[in-house]
Every structure is written in structure tokens, then in C-alpha cells.
Amino acid sequence: MAFGEWAKSRTDLAVIGVHADASDEGGRKFVEEHGWEFPVLSDSKGVQSRQWGITGHPVTFLVDGFGRIAHKLHGPADAATWDAMVAKLG
């Protein structure tokens, strides 16, 4: 299952994407090609990537209800992996 489909199926979560493409145009194209329907913010200048210590993509962050990063996953994942991350929140 692709991330966009998984995100759509999880009505109990708020999903927000961040694209780090060098151009906003490239980021918009990526989002359209993948059919993502959740909000996607631009980090084309890499400000957030540097603050969050991102050195490669993809990266998945799970942020708890208090705004703290509860889990950080580097590399590709699947629906089972994302569900397991969410389950750890309790």
C-alpha cells in the first residue's frame, strides 16, 4: 500500500507531508503524481531538513499529541511498519 492510500485510510491521524524538492514546482508535481490528498508543506530551502537532522529521503516522523517526535524512520516503509509505529503510541 502506498503512503497516500495508507494516510487516507487512517482517519484517526492527522497526516502532513513535507517535500524537500529543490523547487516548489517539483514538489507539487511529486504530490500530484502520487495522488496525495493531505497537506504538503514545502522545505525547498532545506531549513526544516537541517533542523530535524534529515540526511536522506524518505523519512517518516510520528509526532505525538504533545507535538513531540515519538518515532523517526529512515528509508522506505510499508503500511504494516507505519501501523506498528502508530500502535507504539498506545
Side-chain angles (χ1 to χ4, degrees):
M1 172 183 291
F3 185 75
E5 294 170 15
W6 178 84
K8 191 181 231 183
S9 74
R10 295 301 304 246
T11 57
D12 57 330
L13 301 173
V15 175
I16 300 170
V18 178
H19 81 78
D21 196 282
S23 74
D24 288 339
E25 175 69 26
R28 280 191 293 275
K29 184 176 179 184
F30 181 88
V31 170
E32 288 174 11
E33 287 174 357
H34 288 84
W36 290 358
E37 297 180 8
F38 48 85
V40 178
L41 309 173
S42 171
D43 187 30
S44 59
K45 296 185 187 212
V47 174
Q48 288 305 138
S49 293
R50 284 188 295 281
Q51 288 181 344
W52 294 339
I54 298 171
T55 57
H57 296 93
V59 180
T60 304
F61 290 92
L62 185 61
V63 180
D64 68 16
F66 299 100
R68 297 178 299 220
I69 295 173
H71 301 286
K72 182 177 179 181
L73 174 68
H74 291 274
D78 59 15
T81 303
W82 297 314
D83 284 339
M85 287 174 64
V86 172
K88 288 180 183 180
L89 285 179

